[in-house]
Amino acid sequence: MRTGSLLRPFQITKWLPCFQFGQLASRWTHLACLGFCCIGSATQAQQSGSAVPVPILGLTSSPIDPKVDLEMQRLDPSTDGWSTEVINEQTQDLLKTSLKALHQGPQQLREHLDKLLAPGFHSTRWRPEELVVSFTDGTLKVLKGKPNETYLRLSGSEAFMEALQTAVSPLDMSASSAWDDFQMHFKTTGVDLDGNQALTTVWVETHGHDQERRIEGHATWQCRWSLSVTAKGSPKLQSITLTHYQESQAPERNLPWFTDVTRSVFQWEDGSADPLLKGIDHWRKHLDWRFTLDVTGPHGLAVGDVNGDGREDLYLCEPGGLPNRMLIQQRDGSLQDFGTLSGTDYLEASSSALLVDLDNDLDLDLVLATGRYILTAVNDGEAHFKTLQIYESQSMFRSLTAIDIDQDGMLDIYACGYYARFGDRLGLGRPMPYHDANNGVRNLLLRNTGNGLEDITEASGLESNNHRFSYAAAWEDFDNDGDPDLYVANDFGRNNLYRNDGGHFVDVAAEAGVEDLSAGMSVSWGDYNQDGWMDLYVGNMFSSAGNRIAFQRQYRGGQPADQFQRHARGNSLFLNQGDGTFLDTSQEAGVTLGRWAWCSPFVDFNNDGWQDLLVANGMVTGTEDTGDL
């Protein structure tokens, strides 16, 4: 039976002794370790004449190391001196409970409001009375309005109910089912204390629809709370002031832009056993952690016609122990897995793949990043692949890009390294310092010789500032001089912009104004203002917790925290000035809040000639609570 290993069986022992049998190796390792420990303990007990097992040497009797236990106690803000975080948790729960009470019915909502609202509560409208259309394409309509800070004439629960009605005023909410489908999501991004009062800044997202239209609102509230003098008392909401509002509308009768067709193209029936249906939480429990299904989850795919039939196929990377998938598109649009038949069902943990023509024979070959290896496999034109080379490095790779850097007609490979093979328990070297780490591993520029890959990183000048935690890279001629330049997005710190000066690269990120000191996850080039100069969009992390905490005086003992605040801001959009520099237009363009962003390409969704942005986001939580996203 074919194992799907990177290397042939007689080579496995030399190169990949720990991962040669994939999932089976993981289970056998666990069983062997358990058996060894039990035998060892029993043997020592027999020798000592005691019926009580002797503890294994080197293991502590305490389930948690005292140092770790001390840090875990700091997770409770009430014992760690963070009163603003206590207020955040209390007020967030109260706002979320309001939506739950709304769905339970009018009586339950009234009872909840009696507990939530302070005497004399008042509010502005939650949706401005006058909105202007800022964009429309005949289907989607975006409206913006200047909030009116005048409070509604009513007070108490009547003011709350009237403000709620303004939020859904475009919709016919006469049917009870409309309220059942209405949703509100809250994110507290700031907490300020003023004696026995607190002012919270809350980002609010609303969703609703009727038979005619669907609406999605994005708003910012300033909520004033009166604080209880007793430890067990809850804050009371005194007022809500709308400070920002934007709304999108689309006809309910029309289909959405995107429809999930995964089940149909995979031809999944009820009870299907496809491993893709198990989900991340399942495989995190069943795969050895050394197979790298960590908090980032699985990632990596490539699209291309591998068998020359004119239909795009899909290569999907999997975590270690599960075979990679070569999904060939059939005439009816469905996908069938030809991983084994194509020779590409590798079992090692894979993070990135490219389908590109490496040998100029007009078919697509495979480049695969798996652990510290870059694998190349050549295609015979009919989706049968043969391994050409396995390039070994000490860098654990995250992503790949292809470019003909030396203009010899052969595509070369740039590989982003994230952490070292040898590090702490997860192999992740600790970023030091967290906000500007430069103790990561090398990225590699690998020249395609026609017979394999050759490291030319240092010779090309790309060794400069090349020890960071890199997630992604993208090539583009940003200075319009006819050669490709390179931008690298780095986690835990500043990014790189390598300008190509006649085949030699120089890092000009600082002077160009695009270091973007943040948690870089992705990068995309696009001319969003159509001036002929390519602009830059970088995917980072928006953190509501980071925005709350990094702006508090007690954070870092009052030391400057600008760099940490920037880490929490979110995504960045840079406008190319045409003189070698860029202007940060992120906040003016309203594109920072991409949540926990991973991928962020420019793409023209509605074919109107203007570049739009798509941001893929999310994080593995291990629970059903997604409140941290």
Side-chain angles (χ1 to χ4, degrees):
M1 181 179 70
R2 189 177 187 276
T3 64
S5 177
L6 283 179
L7 303 176
R8 295 296 173 258
F10 69 89
Q11 296 174 302
I12 289 175
T13 304
K14 176 181 178 182
W15 289 91
L16 300 175
C18 296
F19 301 95
Q20 54 185 318
F21 299 113
Q23 188 175 359
L24 291 178
S26 170
R27 294 179 178 174
W28 290 343
T29 301
H30 279 300
L31 291 173
C33 290
L34 289 173
F36 176 81
C37 293
C38 292
I39 293 172
S41 298
T43 302
Q44 295 178 41
Q46 292 172 0
Q47 292 176 351
S48 64
S50 172
V52 180
V54 176
I56 299 174
L57 184 65
L59 295 184
T60 176
S61 59
S62 174
I64 301 178
D65 186 276
K67 294 181 180 179
V68 177
D69 188 44
L70 181 62
E71 292 299 319
M72 291 181 66
Q73 293 176 17
R74 300 186 63 183
L75 296 177
D76 183 353
S78 64
T79 61
D80 197 34
W82 280 89
S83 56
T84 55
E85 283 302 285
V86 175
I87 294 170
N88 164 67
E89 292 180 356
Q90 292 174 333
T91 57
Q92 277 282 111
D93 288 343
L94 290 170
L95 292 173
K96 290 179 180 179
T97 306
S98 300
L99 179 64
K100 182 178 180 180
L102 172 64
H103 289 164
Q104 290 174 338
Q107 181 62 32
Q108 288 81 355
L109 179 58
R110 294 281 182 181
E111 293 176 358
H112 171 72
L113 293 179
D114 290 340
K115 300 176 182 178
L116 170 69
L117 304 180
F121 165 83
H122 49 278
S123 175
T124 62
R125 295 175 60 92
W126 292 358
R127 181 179 185 269
E129 193 166 11
E130 295 183 4
L131 292 171
V132 296
V133 176
S134 63
F135 170 82
T136 183
D137 62 0
T139 300
L140 180 69
K141 183 186 296 184
V142 179
L143 306 98
K144 294 182 179 180
K146 183 178 180 181
N148 188 337
E149 296 185 0
T150 302
Y151 291 109
L152 298 170
R153 61 182 180 83
L154 301 175
S155 62
S157 59
E158 289 79 8
F160 189 97
M161 297 300 294
E162 185 178 0
L164 175 61
Q165 289 292 338
T166 68
V168 297
S169 57
L171 302 176
D172 178 8
M173 303 296 286
S174 58
S176 60
S177 59
W179 286 107
D180 292 339
D181 294 332
F182 179 70
Q183 295 292 327
M184 300 184 74
H185 304 279
F186 306 96
K187 282 285 189 185
T188 300
T189 59
V191 180
D192 291 309
L193 294 179
D194 182 13
N196 63 348
Q197 294 186 342
L199 186 67
T200 62
T201 303
V202 184
W203 177 71
V204 185
E205 184 177 277
T206 57
H207 303 268
H209 69 91
D210 58 16
Q211 293 183 346
E212 296 297 325
R213 73 183 81 182
R214 291 175 284 120
I215 66 169
E216 178 178 318
H218 297 270
T220 304
W221 291 357
Q222 291 288 338
C223 299
R224 185 168 294 278
W225 305 81
S226 60
L227 305 180
S228 174
V229 295
T230 64
K232 295 183 179 181
S234 297
K236 298 289 186 180
L237 184 56
Q238 293 181 320
S239 65
I240 296 176
T241 303
L242 179 71
T243 61
H244 171 266
Y245 187 82
Q246 177 179 300
E247 176 179 293
S248 63
Q249 297 184 0
E252 178 63 20
R253 62 182 178 273
N254 286 358
L255 292 174
W257 282 351
F258 297 95
T259 303
D260 187 352
V261 296
T262 311
R263 180 171 289 273
S264 62
V265 298
F266 277 94
Q267 298 183 318
W268 287 331
E269 303 291 343
D270 291 340
S272 174
D274 193 315
L276 289 175
L277 287 169
K278 299 293 185 181
I280 293 174
D281 287 340
H282 171 86
W283 291 115
R284 291 183 72 197
K285 296 175 182 177
H286 290 80
L287 291 177
D288 193 304
W289 62 265
R290 284 165 292 191
F291 288 147
T292 70
L293 188 59
D294 54 20
V295 294
T296 63
H299 50 92
L301 57 82
V303 177
D305 179 9
V306 297
N307 57 356
D309 63 358
R311 294 184 289 270
E312 299 279 39
D313 309 306
L314 178 67
Y315 188 75
L316 182 64
C317 295
E318 288 277 37
L322 297 177
N324 289 352
R325 314 279 287 269
M326 179 62 78
L327 303 166
I328 305 295
Q329 185 179 170
Q330 306 302 295
R331 290 184 178 180
D332 61 0
S334 64
L335 297 174
Q336 290 189 15
D337 188 0
F338 283 77
T340 301
L341 292 176
S342 66
T344 59
D345 56 338
Y346 305 109
L347 284 170
E348 280 70 29
S350 303
S351 59
S352 183
L354 297 175
L355 290 173
V356 292
D357 187 3
L358 290 175
D359 50 10
N360 290 340
D361 63 353
L362 304 182
D363 57 40
L364 297 181
D365 308 303
L366 175 67
V367 185
L368 182 65
T370 170
R372 67 183 190 278
Y373 299 97
I374 302 294
L375 174 144
T376 56
V378 293
N379 186 358
D380 67 356
E382 298 180 356
H384 301 120
F385 291 80
K386 180 180 180 181
T387 301
L388 174 66
Q389 181 190 21
I390 297 178
Y391 186 92
E392 183 180 11
S393 169
Q394 293 305 315
S395 301
M396 303 292 281
F397 296 108
R398 281 298 194 209
S399 64
L400 302 169
T401 59
I403 188 78
D404 182 6
I405 198 61
D406 51 7
Q407 302 295 306
D408 65 350
M410 307 288 287
L411 284 175
D412 309 302
I413 303 298
Y414 186 79
C416 286
Y418 189 78
Y419 53 80
R421 176 191 176 194
F422 302 104
D424 58 22
R425 187 180 69 86
L426 292 178
L428 173 63
R430 297 170 183 262
M432 296 295 290
Y434 166 84
H435 65 282
D436 190 18
N438 199 20
N439 64 323
V441 295
R442 297 179 69 225
N443 298 340
L444 301 180
L445 178 60
L446 301 173
R447 178 176 174 268
N448 182 358
T449 66
N451 294 311
L453 301 176
E454 174 189 24
D455 185 355
I456 60 169
T457 312
E458 185 172 1
S460 65
L462 290 173
E463 200 66 72
S464 174
N465 298 328
N466 191 33
H467 285 84
R468 298 191 180 272
F469 293 78
S470 301
Y471 256 120
W475 298 90
E476 185 55 70
D477 182 11
F478 84 91
D479 51 4
N480 287 346
D481 66 350
D483 53 29
D485 310 297
L486 176 67
Y487 191 87
V488 182
N490 300 314
D491 204 355
F492 306 110
R494 65 193 72 216
N495 299 334
N496 310 107
L497 174 59
Y498 293 104
R499 186 183 64 211
N500 189 341
D501 293 341
H504 185 80
F505 290 89
V506 179
D507 189 355
V508 297
E511 61 190 75
V514 292
E515 284 187 305
D516 198 34
L517 195 68
S518 193
M521 302 289 186
S522 59
V523 53
S524 180
W525 293 95
D527 183 7
Y528 81 87
N529 64 343
Q530 297 188 357
D531 65 351
W533 296 88
M534 297 301 285
D535 310 305
L536 187 65
Y537 190 61
V538 183
N540 297 310
M541 294 188 299
F542 170 84
S543 170
S544 54
N547 277 279
R548 291 192 309 270
I549 294 172
F551 284 87
Q552 296 292 327
R553 289 184 178 180
Q554 73 181 93
Y555 181 64
R556 303 189 74 241
Q559 298 179 25
D562 296 354
Q563 295 170 332
F564 295 91
Q565 293 166 0
R566 178 60 180 262
H567 260 71
R569 190 188 76 169
N571 295 353
S572 297
L573 178 65
F574 295 101
L575 178 65
N576 193 334
Q577 300 290 282
D579 59 0
T581 66
F582 292 76
L583 179 66
D584 187 343
T585 58
S586 313
Q587 294 177 312
E588 294 83 349
V591 295
T592 58
L593 206 161
R595 312 206 185 184
W596 198 303
W598 292 101
C599 186
S600 54
F602 281 102
V603 60
D604 182 5
F605 289 116
N606 54 355
N607 294 326
D608 65 352
W610 293 93
Q611 293 286 292
D612 310 307
L613 287 168
L614 171 66
V615 180
N617 56 56
M619 188 60 178
V620 179
T621 64
T623 69
E624 296 181 357
D625 179 16
T626 59
D628 59 335
L629 301 186

